[in-house]
């Protein structure tokens, strides 16, 4: 059967941070074309397809609809939807399918026109618009006026109460991510940023300020996984999937068992065990940074520092450019792009770094990268460990 080790062979981005000429499905299509150009595969070789949907105003980009639109003749398909972490779960599933021979080459796509669509058909913050019917368990939260940022504000406030974490420490995460965004010509915000700028920006939901919150953008991405054997004949060096795992602690924030922790504890432990490496071996991390507190909770849960020590860790500069664990080297959701679900961008940037294609933001001697996506309200966490060398 040859070498069926799963690898990332192609990556591509659509236009961002704003592309008013494109709707969600066109972002999928543009990202696919650029990914095919990146790796040199023909579309007819793709026999597996995955999409989470969620980027279109009327949910017209689910997996089966997008497979039809893109012309993918698949023999394996997956439509797993866990919010922003969907794409890390997709890598877990696609890697297993490739190993088992269910398919040989899997395409993952995502596209969203969230910024261009704001105010027309889109609600805000993941909650219903005024007067809209609210189905499911979230109906018991909405009447109390909570919002998406409010949920994360509760996480931040509890972390501050338990461990003495400060707004200034959270601000250092935004500052470090902005350092990388300044090197990315496609980032939404590229101006200089200080911790004082963050803590003095408008308070959105106490204790989170405007600059603790991610941007809202358009954008899309695509990733192609295939076998190591097939990748040897393609244009780009393969990026090996060494470990991939997912876990869930809750979905709705009212059911969160511990505001200071997350399912990263479980998914990270499994991914590290599969890869046979430890947090000390990782050269760069690409975390879901919907808010500064999101990145901090993931940092601790994955074992890069002890619980409660994430604030001092960030304040010491470890996550910044030139630090021992550079974070979100494309500028992250806090400064570059966040079109609704950002997990695919984490995978693309991790692969770019391992290829040595990070440009001015390249992490020296990058051999191992970790991508960790968060879906829901720190609910479903997917962790993927990628490597430059074959396991």
């Amino acid at each position: 059967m040859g070498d069926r080790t799963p690898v990332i062979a192609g990556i591509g981005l659509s236009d961002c941070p704003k592309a008013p000429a494109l709707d969600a499905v066109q972002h999928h299509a543009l990202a696919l074309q650029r990914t095919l150009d990146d790796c040199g595969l023909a579309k007819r070789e793709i026999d597996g397809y995955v999409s989470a949907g969620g980027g279109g105003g009327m949910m017209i980009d689910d997996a089966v609809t997008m497979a039809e639109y893109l012309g993918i003749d698949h023999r394996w398909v997956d439509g797993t939807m866990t919010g922003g972490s969907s794409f890390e779960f997709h890598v877990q599933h696609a890697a297993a399918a490739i190993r088992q021979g269910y398919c040989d080459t899997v395409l993952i796509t995502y596209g969203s026109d969230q910024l261009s669509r704001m105010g027309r058909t889109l609600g805000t913050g993941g909650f219903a618009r005024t007067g809209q019917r609210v189905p499911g368990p979230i109906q018991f939260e909405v009447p109390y006026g909570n919002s998406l940022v409010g949920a994360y504000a509760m996480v931040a406030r509890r972390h501050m109460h338990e461990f003495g974490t400060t707004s200034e420490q959270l601000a250092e995460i935004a500052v470090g991510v902005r350092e990388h965004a300044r090197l990315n010509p496609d980032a939404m915000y590229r101006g200089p940023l200080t911790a004082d700028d963050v803590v003095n920006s408008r308070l959105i939901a106490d204790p989170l300020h405007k600059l603790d919150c991610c941007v809202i953008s358009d954008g899309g991405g695509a990733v192609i996984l295939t076998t190591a054997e097939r990748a040897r004949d393609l244009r780009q060096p393969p990026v090996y999937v060494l470990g991939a795992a997912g876990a869930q602690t809750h979905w709705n924030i009212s059911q969160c068992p511990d505001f200071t922790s997350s399912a990263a504890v479980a998914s990270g432990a499994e991914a590290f065990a599969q890869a046979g490496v430890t947090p000390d071996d990782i050269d760069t991390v690409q975390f879901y940074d919907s808010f500064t507190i999101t990145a901090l909770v993931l940092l601790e849960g994955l074992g890069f520092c002890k619980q409660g020590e994430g604030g001092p860790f960030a304040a010491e500069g470890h996550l910044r450019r030139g630090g021992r664990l550079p974070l979100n080297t494309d500028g992250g959701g806090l400064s570059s792009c966040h079109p609704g679900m950002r997990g695919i961008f984490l995978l693309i940037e991790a692969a770019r770094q391992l290829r040595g294609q990070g440009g001015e933001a390249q992490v020296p001697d990058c051999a191992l990268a970790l991508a960790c996506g968060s879906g829901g309200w720190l609910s479903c966490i997917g962790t993927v460990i990628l490597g430059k060398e074959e396991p």
Side-chain angles (χ1 to χ4, degrees):
M1 292 182 60
D3 187 352
R4 300 201 63 83
T5 301
V7 302
I8 292 177
I11 54 176
L13 296 170
S14 66
D15 292 342
C16 64
K18 189 169 186 178
L22 301 176
D23 66 16
V25 295
Q26 290 167 330
H27 279 286
H28 283 264
L30 182 57
L32 165 59
Q33 187 57 60
R34 289 175 175 171
T35 303
L36 293 173
D37 291 343
D38 174 67
C39 64
L41 274 166
K43 189 173 70 171
R44 64 178 179 275
E45 296 183 74
I46 297 169
D47 60 352
Y49 179 64
V50 194
S51 175
M58 298 181 67
M59 296 296 288
I60 57 173
D61 56 343
D62 58 275
V64 291
T65 305
M66 284 307 307
E68 178 184 67
Y69 181 85
L70 298 173
I72 305 300
D73 185 13
H74 58 75
R75 58 192 181 100
W76 180 85
V77 66
D78 183 3
T80 296
M81 170 59 165
T82 61
S85 62
S86 298
F87 312 95
E88 283 68 41
F89 281 80
H90 293 168
V91 169
Q92 178 193 29
H93 300 170
I98 288 170
R99 288 192 187 97
Q100 293 300 316
Y102 298 140
C103 53
D104 297 319
T105 302
V106 178
L107 167 68
I108 305 171
T109 67
Y110 174 65
S112 172
D113 56 352
Q114 185 176 34
L115 177 58
S116 295
R117 196 162 32 91
M118 286 295 289
R120 299 202 296 271
T121 61
L122 187 67
T124 57
F127 287 84
R129 301 176 72 180
T130 302
Q132 182 177 334
R133 179 176 177 271
V134 183
I138 203 171
Q139 66 184 290
F140 301 109
E141 298 180 20
V142 169
Y144 295 95
N146 195 18
S147 62
L148 189 150
V149 63
Y152 284 84
M154 291 194 292
V155 172
R157 180 56 70 194
R158 188 66 194 181
H159 204 280
M160 290 176 170
H161 174 77
E162 291 276 354
F163 305 114
T165 306
T166 67
S167 291
E168 289 76 13
Q169 290 170 341
L170 290 177
E172 289 295 335
I173 295 174
V175 170
V177 171
R178 180 64 65 88
E179 282 183 342
H180 289 117
R182 298 191 71 187
L183 304 175
N184 180 0
D186 296 321
M188 180 174 281
Y189 294 123
R190 302 183 63 209
L193 186 69
T194 67
D196 284 343
D197 292 332
V198 178
V199 298
N200 290 323
S201 62
R202 180 164 56 94
L203 197 64
I204 302 298
D206 189 16
L208 297 178
H209 301 81
K210 178 181 178 181
L211 294 176
D212 285 300
C213 306
C214 68
V215 304
I216 296 175
S217 74
D218 299 332
V223 172
I224 290 177
L225 291 91
T226 190
T227 65
E229 182 177 43
R230 179 67 184 94
R232 294 187 185 105
D233 298 325
L234 301 179
R235 291 174 181 164
Q236 301 290 351
V239 171
Y240 294 88
V241 179
L242 305 180
Q248 177 179 345
T249 50
H250 63 286
W251 183 250
N252 295 286
I253 194 64
S254 62
Q255 303 306 305
C256 180
D258 181 357
F259 281 173
T260 65
S261 186
S262 76
V265 175
S267 68
E270 175 63 23
F272 278 117
Q274 291 176 14
V277 300
T278 71
D280 289 339
D281 298 316
I282 302 298
D283 297 307
T284 182
V285 289
Q286 310 299 325
F287 286 168
Y288 209 97
D289 57 343
S290 47
F291 304 93
T292 51
I293 187 63
T294 313
L296 186 142
V297 172
L298 296 179
L299 179 78
E300 295 178 351
L302 291 165
F304 290 102
C305 60
K306 293 180 180 179
Q307 190 177 28
E309 296 182 0
F313 188 93
E316 290 164 7
H318 298 303
L319 302 175
R320 296 175 70 161
R321 188 183 181 207
R324 70 180 181 89
L325 195 67
L327 167 69
N328 294 356
T329 47
D330 66 340
L334 289 167
S335 285
S336 181
C337 72
H338 192 299
M341 299 194 298
R342 188 175 152 75
I344 199 163
F345 299 93
L346 312 179
L347 298 165
I348 290 169
E349 180 61 18
R352 202 169 69 104
Q353 287 288 335
L354 291 168
R355 289 178 174 184
Q357 298 170 353
E360 291 185 77
Q362 178 63 46
V363 175
D365 304 315
C366 186
L368 287 170
L370 182 146
C372 185
S374 171
W377 295 262
L378 274 171
S379 311
C380 293
I381 309 297
T383 304
V384 176
I385 298 174
L386 301 172
K388 186 177 181 178
E389 302 295 335
E390 189 166 3

